[in-house]
Amino acid sequence: MRAVEWDVQDGSLVLIDQTRLPGELVYARCRSVDEVVDAVQRLVVRGAPALGAVGGFGVAVAMLQGAREGWAPGRLAGEVRRIRDARPTAVNLAWGADRVSPLIHRGVEAVLAEADAIMREDEAANRELSRLGADWILARTGRGRVRVLTHCNTGFLATTAWGTALGIVRELHARDALEIVYADETRPLLQGSRLTAWELQEDGIDYVVQVDGAAASTILRGLVDVAIIGADRIARNGDTANKIGSLGVALACADAGIPFVVAAPSSTVDLSTPSGDDIHIELRDGAEVTSLAGVATAPPGARGFNPAFDVTPSRLIDALVTECCVVEPDGVKHVDALVAERP
Ligand code: MRU
């Protein structure tokens, strides 16, 4: 089961519709640019590495639609830009579209082959960073079994397979080195309680769901050994954008003196963004805050403030983990290593 797949027979992008989980496992099909953009913006598909694959396959969707509808020369570039800009914070979406775009002149098969390579490389990266992250956490905490707090969803649903922060959780579980997972529910769209809990349950991993407001207290009460989160964009100085609420978790970890770990494939490291101040934070519809599953949770007319992400400064991060290495950020100089080939 994969969150993102290409249907060769049908020539369409097939996505697990994550808005419908955990109630039902259904798939959405995209055959047009409008459908791709809509799926990205409604979070049918979400999570930075999964969006990287959508960026790649989305270009193929646009090419096939253009051929079907006889688009005028020049239109394709604009349609690819719509996909690439459908959400601004996760660098992977634009990265995926940009990676396949130079192959457009060689035809859709070449673009699809490159998008497939993005899928394969992402899975391999996730598995490798999970090993590196688990090694680091067990060495740092000195514990045989760790209690982990995580925020949002970073599992196979958010990637092409396996997961990043949740990949480390899976790796710890496989080594019998995991005691329990505290999964923040992740308001407003509940990626933690709907998606992370679903993945952990499917894998038989012990977990509890807690409201986001409980995280600081759980950490300061000594119930957690390490917090592990994913990333939407890691800037050149190590500052990291991730789901809103991540910063609060980092502050609590710093106060409690437990490690705060960021895990991501190197495709999420954006060396062209100097610092967190330069990351565009998506502001979503306030109605997502003033309602839950379509039911109003605030008085009529209440306005919601809904930044989808926050930025954790690198000084609050104990380890940045990619498939290349683990860095303990003490400024700009080590971040290059996160994208370097391993010897
Ligand atoms: O708004 P979302 O659900 O796309 O936000 C996702 C996150 O913030 C994830 O933590 C991040 O993309 C990493 S996914 C491996």
Side-chain angles (χ1 to χ4, degrees):
M1 200 180 350
R2 287 183 191 269
V4 179
E5 265 177 320
W6 183 259
D7 182 337
V8 181
Q9 306 300 322
D10 190 48
S12 61
L13 178 60
V14 182
L15 307 167
I16 292 180
D17 185 344
Q18 299 187 34
T19 66
R20 309 275 285 272
L21 287 169
E24 46 183 359
L25 178 60
V26 291
Y27 292 84
R29 237 170 233 284
C30 302
R31 292 189 188 85
S32 70
V33 172
D34 281 352
E35 286 170 346
V36 174
V37 170
D38 177 68
V40 168
Q41 293 182 339
R42 284 196 306 111
L43 276 51
V44 167
V45 62
R46 29 70 48 202
L51 291 175
V54 169
F57 286 122
V59 173
V61 168
M63 291 170 76
L64 291 172
Q65 184 186 1
R68 257 191 340 265
E69 296 178 3
W71 286 352
R75 177 164 169 193
L76 181 62
E79 297 293 331
V80 168
R81 220 170 13 254
R82 282 179 60 216
I83 293 171
R84 150 183 218 294
D85 297 340
R87 289 187 81 193
T89 306
V91 66
N92 303 60
L93 178 61
W95 170 87
D98 291 348
R99 177 164 159 177
V100 305
S101 288
L103 298 164
I104 287 176
H105 73 279
R106 286 174 43 194
V108 75
E109 290 307 325
V111 166
L112 284 171
E114 194 66 14
D116 269 333
I118 291 175
M119 296 275 285
R120 280 195 310 277
E121 288 168 23
D122 183 64
E123 176 170 1
N126 291 343
R127 290 187 187 270
E128 183 59 15
L129 72 85
S130 296
R131 285 188 280 273
L132 293 174
D135 288 347
W136 188 91
I137 287 166
L138 293 175
R140 167 59 82 94
T141 61
R143 291 178 67 98
R145 301 178 92 217
V146 288
R147 299 161 301 169
V148 173
L149 183 144
T150 193
H151 192 77
C152 198
N153 170 263
T154 58
F156 86 83
L157 290 167
T159 62
T160 61
W162 188 250
T164 58
L166 214 61
I168 297 178
V169 166
R170 291 196 156 102
E171 175 72 21
L172 291 166
H173 176 68
R175 296 185 192 183
D176 195 22
L178 180 72
E179 197 169 313
I180 191 169
V181 178
Y182 290 87
D184 286 355
E185 69 172 352
T186 318
R187 271 287 281 156
L189 297 178
L190 305 177
Q191 290 92 331
S193 60
R194 293 188 304 105
L195 308 177
T196 298
W198 183 73
E199 289 199 41
L200 292 172
Q201 192 139 322
E202 293 282 306
D203 276 13
I205 295 177
D206 195 22
Y207 72 92
V208 287
V209 177
Q210 64 180 0
V211 295
D212 297 356
S217 166
T218 305
I219 291 166
L220 265 70
R221 284 172 64 198
L223 299 176
V224 175
D225 301 305
V226 59
I228 319 173
I229 63 155
D232 286 86
R233 189 181 297 241
I234 299 172
R236 170 170 271 283
N237 70 345
D239 292 352
T240 294
N242 193 55
K243 178 55 56 191
I244 191 78
S246 302
L247 173 57
V249 173
L251 287 164
C253 287
D255 194 74
I258 66 163
F260 180 83
V261 175
V262 172
S266 57
S267 54
T268 303
V269 180
D270 180 14
L271 296 177
S272 69
T273 295
S275 79
D277 292 343
D278 306 295
I279 299 176
H280 180 165
I281 299 296
E282 177 184 7
L283 195 62
R284 293 183 64 82
D285 189 346
E288 290 178 348
V289 175
T290 56
S291 64
L292 194 57
V295 177
T297 55
R303 292 184 299 139
F305 176 53
N306 191 13
F309 303 96
D310 56 28
V311 174
T312 300
S314 65
R315 67 172 186 281
L316 295 175
I317 299 170
D318 294 280
L320 282 161
V321 186
T322 69
E323 73 280 16
C324 304
C325 66
V326 180
V327 299
E328 299 175 9
D330 55 355
V332 177
K333 60 181 187 293
H334 294 316
V335 173
D336 283 3
L338 292 170
V339 296
E341 289 293 317
R342 300 188 77 206

